[in-house]
Amino acid sequence: MTIRNWVKFFFNALLIGGGITAIAGLIVRWEFFSQYVASGEYLEFIGAFLWMIFLGFTMSVVAQMGFFAYLTVHQFGVNMFRSLTLWNWVQLLIIAVVLFDLIFFRFELTSGNTGRTVLYLVLLFTLLATSIVTAYYKAKWTKKHALISALFFMIVITTLEWLPALMVRSGNIDSWVTILLFPLLAVNAYQLLMLPKYNRKSDEDKAKLEERRKARKLAKS
């Protein structure tokens, strides 16, 4: 990918992260924002809203680091197992382990707190549904064998990026766990689906640049 297209890719992902986090923050933590609106403290409201956007930028950077780390891990996995089919089976096993850990250890679902249980089940459904839809379109737009790798990235890598929030134990952590999932999913889906487009654009730009160089050489000669 050329530097120019990478910059576009990076800033588009940054804007997606910031925008999604700001919207999710307003919805999930409206009781926090509404107190500023009710009291007419609009500067404080804007400050809190901008802080949400900055948080989204941070989540976008985390997601982008995770994406490029996964590209390295994926290539390493294919080389180590010497077979894409075997590597796909390993990825499916890791997906199962991560989901088991997520449900039984990270979410800590209990029958004594029905509201929390419902919330985390909805978050789990959101994670799985978004991952499946993204993987489906990734396989449809590129190659069929990309389905498992896309599922692995969307479920396992997103969960790892989400893990710091899941490990915190505090009174209002559930709202932050909810908010942070959405920018990670949005940015990761964007990266997975849009990377081929930017790679093709980079190849086209390189081809055009090469044609210009050849034209200049002919003109000089």
Side-chain angles (χ1 to χ4, degrees), residues 89-116:
W89 280 108
V90 172
Q91 289 183 102
L92 285 173
L93 177 61
I94 296 173
I95 290 171
V97 171
V98 167
L99 289 176
F100 179 85
D101 177 79
L102 196 62
I103 295 169
F104 291 98
F105 296 104
R106 305 305 164 191
F107 283 179
E108 294 184 351
L109 303 180
T110 60
S111 58
N113 192 337
T114 305
R116 188 175 189 274

Side-chain angles (χ1 to χ4, degrees), residues 158-173:
T158 300
T159 300
L160 289 176
E161 295 163 352
W162 194 29
L163 198 57
L166 292 169
M167 295 178 68
V168 174
R169 297 290 178 263
S170 65
N172 65 343
I173 190 59

Side-chain angles (χ1 to χ4, degrees), residues 35-91:
Q35 64 182 346
Y36 293 130
V37 176
S39 60
E41 298 175 281
Y42 298 112
L43 288 179
E44 286 77 3
F45 174 87
I46 293 172
F49 186 73
L50 290 176
W51 187 87
M52 281 290 180
I53 294 176
F54 178 77
L55 178 62
F57 289 164
T58 304
M59 290 300 101
S60 176
V61 172
V62 169
Q64 292 186 64
M65 291 173 62
F67 181 59
F68 287 104
Y70 170 71
L71 293 178
T72 303
V73 170
H74 177 69
Q75 191 59 48
F76 176 77
V78 172
N79 293 337
M80 184 174 69
F81 292 100
R82 299 179 181 276
S83 167
L84 181 60
T85 301
L86 181 57
W87 172 231
N88 282 340
W89 280 108
V90 172
Q91 289 183 102

